[in-house]
Amino acid sequence: MIHVENLVKRYGKLVALDHFNLDVKDGEIFGLLGPNGSGKTTAINCILSLLTYDKGEITLFGKPMSPTNYESKRKIGVVPQNVAVFNELTVYENIDYFCSLYVPDKAKRKPLVEEAIAFAGLSDYRKFLPKKLSGGLLRRLNIACGIAHKPDLIFLDEPTVAVDPQSRNNILEGIKALNASGTTVVYTSHYMEEVEQLCSRIMIMDKGRAIATGTKEELTALIHTGEKLTVEADGLPLSVLEQIRNLPDVLRADYAEGHLKADCKGYGHPVIDVLDLLRQSGVHFGQVYSEPPTLNDVFLEITGKQLRD
Amino acid sequence: MLANIYWKRILVAVRNRGTLIWTWIFPLMMATLFYFAFSGLNEAELLKNIPVGIVTSDEYKNDTAFQTTLTSVSDPEEGFLSLTEYDTEEAAKEALKGGEIEGFIHLENGSPNLSVTKNELNQTILKSFLDQYVQMKHTVVSLIEEGVADVSQILSLFETESWTEALSLSKNPPSETVSYFFALLAMVCLYGGFQGLDSVSYLQANLSSMGIRRTISPVKRFPMVVFDLLAALTVHMACLLFLLAYLVFILDVDFGANLLPVIVTCLFGSFLGLSFGAFVTAVSRAKEGMKVAVIITVSLTCSFGAGMMVSGINYKIAQTIPLLSWLNPAARISDALYCLYYYDGYSQYFLNLGILAVMALVFSIITAFFLRRQRYESI
């Protein structure tokens, strides 16, 4: 559905996209994950023909994308990062306005607008002006304006920024429902939990480059970090910590504020070894947690920095 | 679809609080302020009857010719004196000191003597009047003494009070105040710039998020721009007509007999204002607040040059720096209205409209050059 090849975009001396490649398949939720400034929005704006670019090829629905490719544009929906609605129009009027750019027939448009209002959970607010809506409702209106015309492909650029947890869950559930109805979704975020929860395939971006692409499982398999162990332990001596670090399945281990944290190697499971060592050393320990590696670990191991740095 | 773009854009413009204040409420306040500030200005220009005293001495009572003359110039409608009789010279002096009269006349040896305490315009008029009377009286007496028998012939010489006839060069009487209202209307025309600013901002992806949504939509750019600007023009014209109605029907400001060309002037002015705002917005990446400041500053400066704050400044500019006057859109709008009010012919009026149209077209062409771009270097 989307094919991007060797895309280069420069802002003066800054390389915003460095030979960027992307393939999005029909019917998937594709996540672009990266810290702020990694090039996610620039990539989307280039794909949508909003930005000029220095090099590369962009194909949408099998045709080269350009500002005058109205046929492709008709099948696309966009939810920009900033809320893009008229402050002087009500919820209904806003959705109707943006839907009318795709669906000229008023009779055909009306049920679509109603459906979008119901989808975004804005039925009680249809006559409200945007300034009367909370941040979460405003984001939902922003989404409703982008999806009312039932596009085949939708770009959601950080749609949950500054949204309360309840609205965020509603938005994510809505996106899943959209995808279930056949819409292909390109979703950008710097919240790894969202991307993990939502996307069927993920591209991790940094400094304008795609550093890894695949399913969550494929991405975590790329790194050496395996299971992550956390143990509540009082007064862990340095010598015991060193012994833990030397265990064969432990990649790295640290102790701070009464918590021992150990990253395991690949598919190793050193929980029993660690707990045995603590018991033998007379260290009292409390709760023990274990969690699989996250996309943040993938980003950390590949780039040497946290995703939210 | 395009009808929806048109109608929704009208709703946006009408409900915008900033637009409401600057283009609807503010001009009404200015007009009302002008009305109360200048309401006495025209009347002040007219001469009032001069209060003058006459000492009714025996000599005065016997001089029927002088009595008749004074009575004829003391008519409340057509005269210029407001006559008060005093029995004695002392009583007249008291009235003069008290400021009740500007001077008093006392006949002495057949000649009228004028007593005044100031040397101003009214006193000069009184003195000129008495000098003229004395001269005419002397002429008549001399002619009779020389034996001219036909007195009616002599009198006919003085019946023609003036050899010139006062003709008005303009359709309407001169008015000090209308020029302020003309300049005010010109200012509101230029405030159409706010609508132009909004239209372009809503359209350009590098200026607003709405611009992103609209740029990626499948609607072609040209019809979208045209219908958006048409809606903006509709709203701004409604605003101008509202102000015009307020001026004409509530404040009773005289714009001449025919309002249609006044409305046409507003239409040209509105188009110019709109295209100016669109131009300022399209050519610059400055923040919106800065663009609003530019539109307000230019509008007010041009309105100042058109005589909105200082009466007659527009004529001084036209005399000293004519090019500046020709390039001032507010001065052209104001002058077009001035032509309609005072002149019979339309040549100057059409010249002003032509200049406004050319300016608007230049702004529009430059704006179109910037708007034609659909891909941006950065957003």
Side-chain angles (χ1 to χ4, degrees):
Chain A
M1 187 165 268
I2 303 174
H3 176 71
V4 179
E5 201 171 317
N6 276 325
L7 188 65
V8 177
K9 168 68 185 173
R10 293 189 185 93
Y11 294 115
K13 288 180 180 174
L14 177 79
V15 182
L17 291 174
D18 187 3
H19 294 87
F20 176 78
N21 294 296
L22 173 72
D23 275 296
V24 177
K25 294 168 193 163
D26 194 4
E28 69 178 341
I29 302 181
F30 190 89
L32 285 174
L33 178 68
N36 290 330
S38 58
K40 305 183 297 290
T41 302
T42 300
I44 287 186
N45 287 338
C46 286
I47 292 168
L48 292 171
S49 263
L50 286 169
L51 282 175
T52 56
Y53 46 88
D54 300 278
K55 192 180 159 188
E57 282 176 24
I58 298 170
T59 311
L60 252 72
F61 304 104
K63 289 179 181 170
M65 186 57 183
S66 74
T68 52
N69 184 353
Y70 298 114
E71 193 188 331
S72 294
K73 280 182 164 185
R74 203 173 296 281
K75 300 178 197 169
I76 298 172
V78 175
V79 179
Q81 194 168 352
N82 296 321
V83 174
V85 296
F86 289 103
N87 289 323
E88 297 81 5
L89 298 182
T90 63
V91 164
Y92 185 93
E93 288 164 347
N94 262 302
I95 300 172
D96 182 61
Y97 178 86
F98 290 111
C99 189
S100 76
L101 301 177
Y102 299 83
V103 185
D105 189 329
K106 194 176 178 181
K108 285 181 185 169
R109 196 165 68 234
K110 198 174 176 192
L112 292 175
V113 174
E114 291 294 347
E115 207 175 317
I117 286 175
F119 172 84
L122 293 168
S123 300
D124 294 338
Y125 308 96
R126 59 176 62 230
K127 288 184 178 170
F128 279 49
L129 290 173
K131 65 181 173 187
K132 298 280 183 189
L133 300 177
S134 67
L137 290 174
L138 205 54
R139 285 278 164 188
R140 286 198 236 166
L141 171 61
N142 198 34
I143 293 172
C145 290
I147 56 121
H149 59 286
K150 288 191 178 292
D152 295 336
L153 170 64
I154 184 157
F155 292 87
L156 293 135
D157 193 2
E158 309 238 17
T160 58
V161 170
V163 165
D164 60 277
Q166 191 189 346
S167 287
R168 177 175 296 186
N169 285 336
N170 285 337
I171 290 170
L172 297 182
E173 290 305 315
I175 293 167
K176 282 180 187 170
L178 265 180
N179 178 247
S181 68
T183 307
T184 305
V185 178
V186 176
Y187 186 91
T188 80
S189 179
H190 61 270
Y191 296 128
M192 86 182 164
E193 300 86 355
E194 278 183 13
V195 176
E196 279 182 0
Q197 181 188 338
L198 195 67
C199 300
S200 45
R201 278 201 313 139
I202 300 155
M203 174 183 279
I204 298 178
M205 291 184 70
D206 188 42
K207 294 179 179 173
R209 287 181 299 118
I211 55 174
T213 307
T215 62
K216 185 195 166 190
E217 292 71 26
E218 286 169 347
L219 291 173
T220 50
L222 290 174
I223 57 172
H224 297 105
T225 307
E227 195 176 4
K228 294 167 72 181
L229 188 66
T230 305
V231 182
E232 285 181 9
D234 290 332
L236 182 72
L238 197 59
S239 57
V240 179
L241 181 62
E242 277 304 317
Q243 285 180 307
I244 292 171
R245 281 174 179 160
N246 290 330
L247 286 171
D249 285 337
V250 172
L251 189 65
R252 64 183 81 86
D254 285 302
Y255 179 74
E257 295 174 356
H259 285 83
L260 165 69
K261 290 189 174 180
D263 291 349
C264 310
K265 284 180 187 170
Y267 296 102
H269 294 285
V271 183
I272 293 168
D273 295 343
V274 169
L275 295 181
D276 278 349
L277 242 173
L278 291 175
R279 199 179 292 117
Q280 286 163 15
S281 308
V283 176
H284 295 286
F285 57 88
Q287 290 190 329
V288 179
Y289 312 96
S290 174
E291 56 180 344
T294 64
L295 293 177
N296 189 48
D297 299 311
V298 178
F299 192 80
L300 178 67
E301 197 164 314
I302 296 176
T303 67
K305 60 186 180 183
Q306 297 281 346
L307 197 55
R308 292 193 180 110
D309 279 355
Chain B
M1 170 185 60
L2 293 173
N4 199 41
I5 289 175
Y6 178 81
W7 173 239
K8 291 284 184 344
R9 177 68 178 84
I10 284 179
L11 285 182
V12 168
V14 170
R15 290 176 187 168
N16 185 294
R17 192 173 291 178
T19 309
L20 189 73
I21 291 170
W22 280 106
T23 59
W24 293 78
I25 296 171
F26 178 64
L28 285 190
M29 290 168 64
M30 291 281 285
T32 310
L33 186 77
F34 283 174
Y35 175 75
F36 285 110
F38 305 138
S39 57
L41 210 60
N42 286 334
E43 287 75 10
E45 292 296 308
L46 301 172
L47 286 173
K48 290 178 180 169
N49 284 8
I50 303 165
V52 66
I54 179 72
V55 179
T56 53
S57 60
D58 291 340
E59 193 174 349
Y60 172 71
K61 286 172 184 169
N62 293 331
D63 192 340
T64 51
F66 189 55
Q67 281 183 43
T68 308
T69 306
L70 282 186
T71 307
S72 68
V73 296
S74 302
D75 185 84
E77 292 296 321
E78 294 179 355
F80 66 95
L81 293 184
S82 173
L83 200 63
T84 309
E85 294 184 340
Y86 297 96
D87 293 336
T88 62
E89 196 173 333
E90 282 67 32
K93 277 181 185 172
E94 284 299 312
L96 181 63
K97 275 184 193 171
E100 296 166 31
I101 50 175
E102 299 269 357
F104 69 88
I105 303 162
H106 181 219
L107 277 182
E108 203 172 330
N109 301 324
S111 292
N113 288 333
L114 177 67
S115 298
V116 292
T117 53
K118 296 181 204 165
N119 186 20
E120 292 177 357
L121 180 65
N122 284 347
Q123 287 73 15
T124 308
I125 292 169
L126 285 173
K127 187 175 182 310
S128 300
F129 161 67
L130 291 178
D131 288 347
Q132 199 178 356
Y133 172 77
V134 170
Q135 193 182 356
M136 284 171 66
K137 184 183 172 186
H138 179 71
T139 308
V140 172
V141 169
S142 299
L143 286 170
I144 292 172
E145 281 176 358
E146 283 173 18
V148 177
D150 193 349
V151 178
S152 64
Q153 247 186 340
I154 300 166
L155 290 175
S156 70
L157 280 173
F158 298 102
E159 272 175 2
T160 308
E161 290 173 350
S162 173
W163 297 99
T164 57
E165 187 184 356
L167 289 172
S168 176
L169 289 171
S170 60
K171 288 195 294 189
N172 294 299
S175 169
E176 278 288 311
T177 56
V178 286
S179 60
Y180 289 102
F181 293 104
F182 292 167
L184 176 68
L185 212 53
M187 182 192 79
V188 181
C189 284
L190 296 186
Y191 275 178
F194 295 123
Q195 293 294 346
L197 181 146
D198 284 347
S199 286
V200 173
S201 292
Y202 294 149
L203 196 76
Q204 292 284 78
N206 60 343
L207 296 178
S208 71
S209 299
M210 265 90 75
I212 291 177
R213 274 203 203 281
R214 296 175 81 185
T215 304
I216 55 149
S217 77
V219 182
K220 288 184 178 169
R221 209 161 175 77
F222 183 71
M224 198 176 335
V225 174
V226 168
F227 275 79
D228 201 291
L229 287 174
L230 266 179
L233 187 68
T234 305
V235 172
H236 193 237
M237 268 310 287
C239 161
L240 280 163
L241 291 177
F242 178 67
L243 175 64
L244 193 62
Y246 180 73
L247 292 173
V248 174
F249 300 115
I250 307 291
L251 300 187
D252 208 20
V253 176
D254 189 3
F255 278 84
N258 192 356
L259 279 179
L260 185 64
V262 175
I263 294 169
V264 172
T265 310
C266 289
L267 185 66
F268 274 71
S270 178
F271 179 45
L272 172 68
L274 212 73
S275 57
F276 171 68
F279 164 79
V280 169
T281 314
V283 300
S284 164
R285 293 280 316 256
K287 287 187 176 171
E288 189 178 313
M290 179 61 76
K291 291 172 185 175
V292 168
V294 168
I295 291 170
I296 291 176
T297 307
V298 171
S299 302
L300 285 177
T301 308
C302 290
S303 306
F304 173 79
M308 195 175 80
M309 290 86 165
V310 181
S311 176
I313 191 88
N314 44 335
Y315 305 117
K316 282 179 188 160
I317 293 172
Q319 281 172 349
T320 50
I321 320 168
L323 183 67
L324 197 63
S325 176
W326 284 114
L327 290 177
N328 179 353
R332 291 308 98 219
I333 296 166
S334 182
D335 195 54
L337 298 171
Y338 184 90
C339 294
L340 291 172
Y341 185 75
Y342 284 113
Y343 302 158
D344 287 317
Y346 282 89
S347 57
Q348 178 78 7
Y349 168 74
F350 284 125
L351 178 63
N352 282 315
L353 289 196
I355 292 170
L356 291 174
V358 169
M359 284 182 184
L361 277 176
V362 169
F363 285 135
S364 300
I365 289 166
I366 298 172
T367 305
F369 179 77
F370 280 89
L371 289 187
R372 90 195 190 292
R373 193 172 49 189
Q374 296 187 47
R375 273 207 269 210
Y376 305 87
E377 273 296 312
S378 63
I379 290 178

